[in-house]
């Protein structure tokens, strides 16, 4: 986060007191202005077939960015979602390119990122780690297959993507990684604990990465959406039902109330505008290096996530505000 005078945090690598750091973190990030142009910026987006990924690809291309939209099962560009995305992107000021990346497949990440960097003409400006899946249900019903899929997609896939793009970013001493977390990356709710676990892990890993990258010129901003009406609930519902079907009847009967609550939650209406996410990402991209916040909650109601972020920022300041990590902590939080 930045302070009121908008000092470049790469210039603030001196240690600061715990009290001063906590005050700066509590102040929050200044409201960013909606950008009018992102011409000259390159961004690789995972999970671009639908939802936040597709909307963000089109929004950023509309602002002039070079967008490399990745998705699974591209089928040589014949996948219906790929064809419609390119069709919708025609006439935008920026260009949308397609690459095939399944974030659970390391070799596909390696080849897809290499292709994206060729399109961008070098190291990428931005990685938007958007690919994700939501598998609800009580923890006892989360079998190995469900846990593996959720952790591979939401956590390990994002870390693999970051590892793949970082050499190019570090070589330029510039770049921004934006992992898409969730309000449930800071708050724990029953019947969605495995999803919370994947997002809590994401939050921890990328906050640590933000500190580690501070002296190397690369930034991290964790976006924290609330509930939005996207296809994650539709695809998640199918995956949840398959998981339920793999469970023994005795377990399902024991958790009958939980199962009913899970199904109702997956079908619940969500009225917030999913374009909030593309607009937030565009604003982050447009901010000068050194002025981007560590976290950006996005939803009409961010009360809980903002409160948790503020409390945890204070604890982090106490833990890191003095000693060998103080310069890195200061660089990320002031």
């Amino acid at each position: 986060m930045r302070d009121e005078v908008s000092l470049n945090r790469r210039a603030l690598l001196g240690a600061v007191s715990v009290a001063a750091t906590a005050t700066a973190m509590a102040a929050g990030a200044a409201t960013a202005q909606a950008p009018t142009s992102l011409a000259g910026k390159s961004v690789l987006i995972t999970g671009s077939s639908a939802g936040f990924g597709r909307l963000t690809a089109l929004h950023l291309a509309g602002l002039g960015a070079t967008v490399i939209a990745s998705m699974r099962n591209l089928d040589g560009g014949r996948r219906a979602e790929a064809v419609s995305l390119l069709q919708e992107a025609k006439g935008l000021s920026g260009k949308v390119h397609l690459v095939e990346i399944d974030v659970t497949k390391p070799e596909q990440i390696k080849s897809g990122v290499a292709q994206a960097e060729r399109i961008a003409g070098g190291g990428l400006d931005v990685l938007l780690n958007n690919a994700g899946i939501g598998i609800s249900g009580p923890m006892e019903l989360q079998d190995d297959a469900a846990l593996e899929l959720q952790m591979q997609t939401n956590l390990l896939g994002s870390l693999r993507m970051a590892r793949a793009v970082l050499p190019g970013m570090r070589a330029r001493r510039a770049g921004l990684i934006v992992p898409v977390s969730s309000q449930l990356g800071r708050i724990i709710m029953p019947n969605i604990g495995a999803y919370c676990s994947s997002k809590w892990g994401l939050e921890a890993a990328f906050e640590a990465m933000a500190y580690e990258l501070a002296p190397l010129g690369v930034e991290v901003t964790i976006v924290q959406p609330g509930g939005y009406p996207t296809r994650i609930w539709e695809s998640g519902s199918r995956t949840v039902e398959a998981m339920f079907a793999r469970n023994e009847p005795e377990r399902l009967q024991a958790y009958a109330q939980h199962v009913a609550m899970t199904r109702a939650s997956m079908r619940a209406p969500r009225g917030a505008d999913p374009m909030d996410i593309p607009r937030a990402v565009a604003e982050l991209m447009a901010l000068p290096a050194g002025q981007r916040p560590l976290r950006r909650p996005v939803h009409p109601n961010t009360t809980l996530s903002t409160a948790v972020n503020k409390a945890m920022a204070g604890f982090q300041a106490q833990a890191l505000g003095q000693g060998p990590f103080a310069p890195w902590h200061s660089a990320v939080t002031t």
Side-chain angles (χ1 to χ4, degrees), residues 197-216:
S197 299
S198 71
K199 294 300 187 178
W200 277 66
L202 188 82
E203 294 264 355
F206 279 92
E207 180 167 346
M209 189 178 290
Y211 301 138
E212 294 160 359
L213 292 172
L216 303 178

Side-chain angles (χ1 to χ4, degrees), residues 113-199:
V113 168
Q115 184 180 351
E117 289 179 334
R118 287 194 295 272
I119 293 168
L124 295 157
D125 292 309
V126 181
L127 167 66
L128 178 62
N129 265 329
N130 169 73
I133 189 168
I135 305 178
S136 300
M139 290 302 301
E140 188 179 339
L141 301 188
Q142 298 276 339
D143 61 1
D144 281 358
L147 289 170
E148 176 79 10
L149 177 59
Q150 190 147 236
M151 296 299 174
Q152 284 285 348
T153 306
N154 294 355
L155 177 56
L156 297 179
S158 290
L159 290 171
R160 292 187 188 107
M161 288 297 303
R163 194 166 188 265
V165 304
L166 275 171
M169 289 183 174
R170 285 190 289 98
R172 296 167 52 238
R173 295 192 62 82
L176 171 65
I177 296 176
V178 182
V180 177
S181 180
S182 169
Q183 288 183 350
L184 295 176
R186 299 299 247 176
I187 299 160
I188 302 164
M189 295 183 67
N191 293 339
I192 196 167
Y195 178 80
C196 293
S197 299
S198 71
K199 294 300 187 178

Side-chain angles (χ1 to χ4, degrees), residues 68-83:
I68 302 100
S70 77
M71 59 184 76
R72 299 178 300 144
N73 306 320
L74 199 53
D75 191 24
R78 293 183 294 271
R79 179 175 173 175
E81 291 89 345
V83 173

